[in-house]
Amino acid sequence: MITRTKYNPKEVEPKWQKRWEEEQLYHAPDNSPKPKFYHLVMFPYPSGDLHMGHWYNYSPFDAYGRFMRMQGYNVMQPIGFDAFGLPAENAAIKRGVQARTWTLANIDNMRKQLRMMGAGWDWEREVVTCLPDYYKWTEWLFLQFYKHGLAYRTKAPANWCPGCNTTLANEQVLPDGTCERCGSIVERREIDQWLLKITAYAEELLNFDEIDWPEKTITMQRNWIGRSEGAEIRFSAEIEGKREEIPVFTTRPDTIYGATFFVLAPEHPWVEKITTPEQRAAVEAYIDQARRMTEIERMSTEKEKTGVFTGGYVTNPVNGAQVPVWIADYVLMGYGAGAIMGVPAHDQRDFEFARKFNIPIIEVIRPTGEEPGNTDTWTEAHVVHDGIMVNSGTFNGTPTDEAIAKVTRYLEEQGVGKFMVTYRLRDWLISRQRYWGAPIPIVYCPEHGTVPVPEEQLPVWLPDNVQFKSTGESPLRYEPEFVNTTCPICGGPATREADTMDTFICSSWYFLRYADPHNSEQAWSMEEMTRWLPVDQYVGGAEHAVMHLLYARFFVKALRDMGYLNFNEPFKRLYHQGMVLGADGQKMSKSRGNVEAPDKYVDKYGTDTVRCYMMFIGPFDQGGSFKPDNLEGIWRFLNRFWSLVNDTWVPGRVSEEETPESRAIERLRHKTIQRVTEDLANFRFNTALAALMEANNAMIKQQHEPVARTAAYRRMLETMIQLLAPMAPHITEEMWHLTGHSNSIHTSEWPIYDEALAKDEIFTLVVQVNGKVRERIEVPATISESEVRALALTNPRVATFIGESTVQKVIYVPGRLINIVVRK
RNA sequence: GGGCGGUUGCUGAAAUUGGUAGACAGGACGGACUUAGGAUCCGUUGGUGAUGAACCAUGAGAGUUCGAGUCUCUCACCGCCCACCA
């Protein structure tokens, strides 16, 4: 009688978690002879709890790291916390707790939960961005950008809530342009802010040669950077008796003869100069109205075109035409020159504008072979990429494919324009009028102006206690101890910059600090960079496709040029996980009431079951619904496997004898290793688990047969334990020891397979007639084509389908099928 | 409006990348064991037909092919991202 040990995760899991930590199993040593594998997952914001999304993300991630470790890599798999940001500040405002206290308490709780997950975190390398030993270096980095001319201060628009009397982050502005807290209409206000010159790297950021990323993410970054080639063309006007030039950017310089109006963005500095006294009132009213609108409203395509005539005119440099100057909010100050030439015949937006304000429309590009059109009857702009220039003076007849270059050359010769590349990408605004962030290490001296804090004085400490007032400025401004200081140059009284940095700055370099987390002399050493960077594989949400991932790339390139790094790209390979949805297939949200916390399921089934379930939901990048019922399937599988191994490992004779059955098991072993290895390598955790379930079912079926006492059978079980280890680390560790091993399974060597041995001795030959399956025959794998033909053609069932028809063609796919093509 | 991805049983999904559609699970139904089962084990489960033969079936329609879930075109839904970028 066999006494079965029941699988009890509550006993097994904490036991191994403790042991692993004591043995520092997951610490990646700097001095390992093994090849390094830097395996990174986007660090969490310490909101207080690990939710379903974290589990869904980290379970497969960790499984992959374990898989690589078993394959002989020195896997560095760090974790930390992106700990600055608004929620802590809100907690401080609403509940009166210190942001620091709140954040650190959350981190403590999340550390516990992260440990319970049993993932192989290298806790030695933990970074917490809100602690001085980290933000000191964030500040230091800012100084390096400043020194190299990549950080500058200028007036920039901020979202301003007149109700709360404060600036808002973009996320705090609702899609309809109102404040999420008080519902007031959010305005834009110009204030002094710091920016980083990411645009200096626009061209290099468009080069993705060194990275293996999802095509989708690359496309998004490419679109975000938005490179356009075209021309800068300078129009001119008399301003106070002097001829002054004003540039526009266009991708279609060949349409310049069709420019019947000219539009300035409402914020354009020329508006002031060109507006006539009669129009001043109308123009000012329009500007005022535009300011009240948020970016989002302004950018809505649905909106009808609006604008006001300034009363002024500019001269078209190619034909001397006097063109009326308007202002309109569809022209954006942040793009190109902030001014456009309006060519209504060939641009839909200009067309709509011209129609609304009765501006003439002149056709200057005509599709090849078409008759002259009457623009009065047009209902939309004719955007022509393949035609000839008309109504364009000496250029008439020039085909479009030559026209752009030809006109550009002419403009250059005349000294009124030039070839130009423009990017949509704007410089990165990093000032936040907030308390809970890394201080910007700048001092303003009445004598010496903007002075960087000397490096040896870093960090600029962030006080623990601040007063929150709703003035729209950083709370730090009202902390005399913080703000009042002395000028580093003259020692006279001076004030500190009170704004803090965007938290995206903190997350743009954390992966560098992981490699050298305890360095108190430097942000990192070149030695550790050479050892660990770049990141070999990065896993995180697709929502960071643009901002975070672009900023991190910019940081690496800029720091490389400053001499602090010796590589070009931070993340060699990138993988995006999907999103876990509620059981109803909807995004989990409190308002839908479909939020599930993982904790109770971990408590009921254990970590391994929840981990495996997360991987079994479906393809990792696709996401899926969390359905508690389905946990049962994994739970049963783990229990059945546990019982099988326990039942098999009883004292008794084990036979080395080879039988057809034992050979079949050995074949299954190689096949299973192959499937699991290939699946894990390609992030297909769901099918890797399915392969193990199939193997488990096959083994259970035979557990009372004589073959169960062969060495091959036991070897198969041992292999299965190893193959499952990355996904279910605790139960497999327990079984590994039960089956007589003393090392950790997670440092054991990944089983290898022999493809030849994985091949079946027999296979099911499918016989088709005209592409339809008519018969299945078991045949030996070594069968020859002529044997297959003979077998198929003489098969009685097949013969009835061939009947009187003549065989035209026979297609044979070795190991699969034979298709007999017949015609009556 | 633009870009990308998706649509396969009751449900999550799989399909050797052009070669047996529905692996592996969940659920449901039936059975065994049991005082009991929300434990465990066994069986059935795409549709029409009768349990056989056969036919139909991967969002819809066409095409290429000996052969299409997979490739091409048209259309319809769904999701995500971007969106007046000159």
Side-chain angles (χ1 to χ4, degrees):
Chain A
M1 193 62 189
I2 297 155
T3 42
R4 274 194 172 178
T5 7
K6 223 177 161 265
Y7 169 51
N8 180 3
K10 282 208 168 125
E11 206 173 280
V12 169
E13 292 181 347
K15 175 172 101 188
W16 290 111
Q17 283 169 14
K18 197 165 155 252
R19 214 37 189 273
W20 295 334
E21 207 143 326
E22 282 163 7
E23 291 171 5
Q24 299 225 338
L25 194 63
Y26 305 119
H27 175 57
D30 285 336
N31 55 353
S32 165
K34 296 175 179 175
K36 68 101 180 177
F37 186 76
Y38 187 173
H39 194 213
L40 182 67
V41 69
M42 291 180 185
F43 61 169
Y45 178 80
S47 56
D49 271 305
L50 284 191
H51 53 70
M52 234 19 123
H54 293 119
W55 277 82
Y56 184 79
N57 185 192
Y58 297 162
S59 303
F61 167 78
D62 182 57
Y64 192 87
R66 290 173 184 278
F67 170 62
M68 292 303 281
R69 185 178 293 109
M70 287 173 80
Q71 290 201 316
Y73 289 89
N74 183 25
V75 174
M76 198 250 269
Q77 191 170 289
I79 189 77
F81 297 92
D82 188 13
F84 273 133
L86 222 44
E89 192 158 341
N90 287 338
I93 294 167
K94 277 184 206 148
R95 294 195 260 143
V97 289
Q98 281 181 13
R100 180 188 150 88
T101 313
W102 182 86
T103 303
L104 294 182
N106 284 350
I107 288 176
D108 268 345
N109 190 47
M110 287 175 80
R111 278 199 195 107
K112 258 182 235 145
Q113 293 175 311
L114 283 162
R115 285 191 154 89
M116 267 168 47
M117 190 178 272
W121 308 117
D122 187 346
W123 288 104
E124 288 286 294
R125 297 177 181 274
E126 185 198 62
V127 303
V128 176
T129 61
C130 70
L131 295 180
D133 67 351
Y134 186 88
Y135 72 69
K136 170 181 177 176
W137 300 112
T138 306
E139 293 173 7
W140 178 83
L141 284 165
F142 175 87
L143 291 178
Q144 307 317 306
F145 278 83
Y146 181 76
K147 269 188 210 158
H148 289 84
L150 290 170
Y152 64 97
R153 192 167 182 245
T154 190
K155 285 226 184 294
N159 297 312
W160 175 263
C161 172
C164 306
N165 216 24
T166 186
T167 53
L168 299 178
N170 279 335
E171 309 82 78
Q172 296 174 298
V173 183
L174 299 177
D176 65 351
T178 59
C179 171
E180 67 165 6
R181 276 189 298 184
C182 74
S184 312
I185 295 174
V186 176
E187 297 179 5
R188 286 145 40 81
R189 196 175 261 206
E190 300 278 319
I191 56 174
D192 276 319
Q193 309 201 64
W194 284 94
L195 291 96
L196 294 191
K197 215 180 264 177
I198 189 171
T199 52
Y201 284 86
E203 197 60 48
E204 196 191 337
L205 287 167
L206 282 168
N207 181 338
F208 300 92
D209 290 351
E210 285 183 36
I211 49 186
D212 175 15
W213 283 18
E215 206 43 55
K216 184 181 148 191
T217 308
I218 290 177
T219 307
M220 280 171 72
Q221 290 211 349
R222 201 172 272 138
N223 293 343
W224 187 261
I225 296 166
R227 184 181 194 276
S228 319
E229 286 189 1
E232 181 191 84
I233 304 177
R234 290 191 291 280
F235 285 62
S236 62
E238 281 304 313
I239 303 286
E240 291 163 4
K242 271 204 334 236
R243 187 136 285 271
E244 285 193 36
E245 290 188 322
I246 176 167
V248 296
F249 174 75
T250 177
T251 53
R252 294 297 299 267
D254 56 325
T255 64
I256 185 162
Y257 286 87
T260 52
F261 62 100
F262 192 96
V263 188
L264 297 170
E267 305 87 345
H268 198 287
W270 261 58
V271 174
E272 180 80 5
K273 296 187 190 180
I274 202 133
T275 303
T276 56
E278 306 81 66
Q279 290 298 102
R280 189 156 302 272
V283 165
E284 275 171 9
Y286 185 81
I287 293 171
D288 196 48
Q289 185 203 327
R291 187 185 301 129
R292 282 180 201 286
M293 272 191 270
T294 63
E295 199 104 359
I296 296 152
E297 266 185 298
R298 245 181 97 165
M299 286 185 171
S300 155
T301 331
E302 317 299 315
K303 214 181 67 142
E304 210 182 310
K305 295 281 176 293
T306 59
V308 170
F309 180 45
T310 62
Y313 289 84
V314 289
T315 308
N316 183 332
V318 294
N319 59 7
Q322 289 301 292
V323 180
V325 179
W326 291 65
I327 61 168
D329 62 11
Y330 82 93
V331 174
L332 309 168
M333 195 56 219
Y335 184 76
I340 61 153
M341 57 177 199
V343 184
H346 306 293
D347 181 283
Q348 184 58 27
R349 296 153 300 179
D350 296 346
F351 182 86
E352 287 166 23
F353 192 82
R355 268 289 141 82
K356 175 146 183 200
F357 296 106
N358 288 317
I359 297 168
I361 297 170
I362 304 171
E363 180 186 37
V364 290
I365 310 283
R366 182 174 301 152
T368 320
E370 251 180 49
E371 292 302 303
N374 176 5
T375 56
D376 292 344
T377 61
W378 290 9
T379 54
E380 58 180 13
H382 290 192
V383 182
V384 184
H385 296 284
D386 175 23
I388 53 163
M389 290 175 73
V390 294
N391 298 323
S392 299
T394 55
F395 289 99
N396 281 344
T398 313
T400 304
D401 53 2
E402 300 167 23
I404 294 176
K406 204 168 162 186
V407 173
T408 306
R409 207 175 319 120
Y410 174 78
L411 293 168
E412 276 170 358
E413 280 159 16
Q414 299 297 307
V416 291
K418 61 176 187 212
F419 172 81
M420 196 160 101
V421 174
T422 300
Y423 303 91
R424 291 180 52 185
L425 184 69
R426 300 181 204 178
D427 278 339
W428 175 11
L429 197 158
I430 60 156
S431 290
R432 296 291 178 269
Q433 294 70 46
R434 295 284 158 189
Y435 152 61
W436 193 235
I440 297 175
I442 290 288
V443 167
Y444 301 106
C445 167
E447 198 66 30
H448 296 95
T450 304
V451 183
V453 173
E455 289 180 18
E456 60 276 11
Q457 288 179 22
L458 297 181
V460 173
W461 292 87
L462 193 61
D464 282 346
N465 269 312
V466 292
Q467 301 267 313
F468 294 98
K469 303 185 180 185
S470 28
T471 61
E473 290 162 306
S474 165
L476 293 172
R477 173 137 314 176
Y478 298 95
E479 297 300 317
E481 302 242 322
F482 177 87
V483 93
N484 296 331
T485 183
T486 52
C487 170
I489 297 173
C490 64
T495 53
R496 282 193 194 282
E497 169 67 56
D499 286 354
T500 52
M501 286 184 244
D502 181 0
T503 55
F504 274 122
I505 301 268
C506 310
S507 56
S508 292
W509 75 281
Y510 76 109
F511 50 93
L512 304 174
R513 186 67 179 176
Y514 278 146
D516 199 1
H518 307 296
N519 194 331
S520 54
E521 304 300 313
Q522 297 163 282
W524 57 76
S525 68
M526 202 55 127
E527 192 191 349
E528 296 304 326
M529 289 302 108
T530 308
R531 192 192 315 279
W532 289 111
L533 271 291
V535 171
D536 295 285
Q537 182 163 280
Y538 196 24
V539 175
E543 68 274 18
H544 292 112
V546 184
M547 311 259 265
H548 163 60
L549 289 167
L550 193 65
Y551 294 151
R553 292 181 67 216
F554 161 54
F555 255 55
V556 163
K557 290 173 194 301
L559 290 164
R560 172 205 60 199
D561 289 347
M562 295 174 203
Y564 294 120
L565 294 176
N566 53 0
F567 55 96
N568 302 317
E569 291 283 354
F571 317 119
K572 283 207 299 213
R573 250 177 94 190
L574 174 70
Y575 206 89
H576 293 304
Q577 81 276 11
M579 209 190 336
V580 223
L581 307 170
D584 55 0
Q586 300 286 308
K587 219 180 209 172
M588 283 194 190
S589 77
K590 276 179 199 155
S591 58
R592 284 200 189 88
N594 60 352
V595 178
E596 287 267 21
D599 304 56
K600 73 175 179 195
Y601 300 105
V602 174
D603 189 56
K604 184 172 174 192
Y605 297 105
T607 291
D608 282 346
T609 300
V610 176
R611 285 173 58 113
C612 289
Y613 169 64
M614 291 292 175
M615 293 181 239
F616 196 60
I617 288 178
F620 184 42
D621 55 352
Q622 228 172 76
S625 297
F626 177 87
K627 294 186 175 168
D629 273 1
N630 296 356
L631 277 158
E632 286 288 340
I634 299 287
W635 172 246
R636 280 177 207 150
F637 160 61
L638 291 180
N639 275 284
R640 274 152 51 91
F641 186 41
W642 169 272
S643 305
L644 174 65
V645 170
N646 273 272
D647 290 356
T648 304
W649 251 265
V650 290
R653 191 170 53 88
V654 176
S655 151
E656 285 293 342
E657 198 195 340
E658 269 199 35
T659 62
E661 291 76 26
S662 78
R663 274 202 301 277
I665 285 189
E666 184 60 9
R667 235 179 353 259
L668 178 64
R669 195 174 76 90
H670 283 277
K671 211 189 215 168
T672 307
I673 299 170
Q674 182 175 11
R675 284 178 68 184
V676 174
T677 305
E678 289 174 357
D679 283 348
L680 291 185
N682 292 297
F683 276 77
R684 294 191 301 246
F685 304 96
N686 53 334
T687 47
L689 279 165
L692 286 166
M693 288 172 174
E694 278 181 58
N696 193 40
N697 293 342
M699 295 297 281
I700 287 172
K701 220 166 241 165
Q702 296 178 74
Q703 75 168 308
H704 301 299
E705 309 286 328
V707 72
R709 286 195 297 276
T710 61
Y713 191 90
R714 286 200 167 194
R715 197 155 50 237
M716 173 64 178
L717 290 180
E718 277 182 301
T719 299
M720 285 168 64
I721 298 168
Q722 284 190 288
L723 296 179
L724 181 61
M727 294 168 277
H730 308 83
I731 189 174
T732 50
E733 183 79 296
E734 182 72 19
M735 288 194 278
W736 187 244
H737 285 77
L738 174 87
T739 56
H741 301 86
S742 51
N743 62 328
S744 167
I745 192 169
H746 303 296
T747 52
S748 71
E749 249 175 76
W750 188 254
I752 48 174
Y753 63 90
D754 181 334
E755 209 158 329
L757 293 179
K759 289 244 162 64
D760 284 324
E761 286 175 347
I762 49 163
F763 71 95
T764 309
L765 176 76
V766 168
V767 185
Q768 297 182 333
V769 177
N770 283 347
K772 292 200 169 191
V773 180
R774 295 305 181 188
E775 183 64 306
R776 295 180 171 92
I777 312 170
E778 298 288 312
V779 296
T782 52
I783 196 163
S784 71
E785 179 169 355
S786 53
E787 286 172 301
V788 168
R789 272 172 177 265
L791 208 54
L793 290 166
T794 56
N795 182 284
R797 262 181 61 78
V798 174
T800 62
F801 283 98
I802 297 172
E804 301 295 297
S805 315
T806 50
V807 174
Q808 276 214 312
K809 195 162 33 157
V810 176
I811 288 139
Y812 175 57
V813 185
R816 296 227 172 283
L817 58 74
I818 182 165
N819 187 12
I820 301 160
V821 185
V822 300
R823 198 171 59 181
K824 283 212 176 116

